Amino acid sequence: HVQLVESGGGSVQAGGSLTLSCAASLSVYPTWCFCMAWFRQAPGQEREGVAAIYPGNYNDGRRFYADSVKGRFTISADKAKRTMTLQMTGLKPEDTATYYCAAKGPVSTCAFNSLNSGDDYGYWGQGTQVTVS
């Protein structure tokens, strides 16, 4: 059974920073063998993959970012706490959206196209709102 709970959303002025967290409950899995990702969706727009990471093999160093957030957002994972974090800096009004934590797996890695679609992700959090003005 997998549960994901996001936290850390809020309102910030353009240029500001926010950090989102996703607490992953993966009680039946001894290792974090899921591709973890952040997606976002703004009203009237399609869901967009933001960043992905495979915590199960952290030494892999494989992380993926959407072009729109590269250099501004950083995804990380704390294996001991089973918590994934998205540090967002240099926020822009176009970053305004509801941000969702998602998990796909169990898998052995995050594929290169992990941000292309959320359809392969079987587990989702409830979402947290980020508003940039």
Side-chain angles (χ1 to χ4, degrees), residues 27-49:
S27 58
V28 301
Y29 298 97
T31 61
W32 199 347
C33 49
F34 286 76
C35 179
M36 303 296 298
W38 289 97
F39 285 80
R40 67 185 181 186
Q41 189 165 23
Q45 297 188 18
E46 293 187 356
R47 183 173 55 195
E48 175 189 20

Side-chain angles (χ1 to χ4, degrees), residues 54-112:
Y54 185 72
N57 183 10
Y58 201 67
N59 291 331
D60 187 350
R62 186 173 301 186
R63 309 176 190 187
F64 301 90
Y65 295 96
D67 288 342
S68 58
V69 306
K70 281 182 181 177
R72 300 189 297 122
F73 291 11
T74 302
I75 190 171
S76 61
D78 185 324
K79 293 172 66 176
K81 296 181 179 179
R82 292 280 177 98
T83 300
M84 177 176 67
T85 299
L86 184 69
Q87 294 178 298
M88 306 183 294
T89 63
L91 283 162
K92 305 174 181 180
E94 50 263 45
D95 294 318
T96 296
T98 300
Y99 284 70
Y100 297 90
C101 171
K104 173 170 60 175
V107 293
S108 59
T109 190
C110 283
F112 71 96

Side-chain angles (χ1 to χ4, degrees), residues 5-9 19-23 38 83-86 101 128:
V5 179
E6 303 100 333
S7 60
T19 298
L20 305 183
S21 294
C22 173
W38 289 97
T83 300
M84 177 176 67
T85 299
L86 184 69
C101 171
T128 185

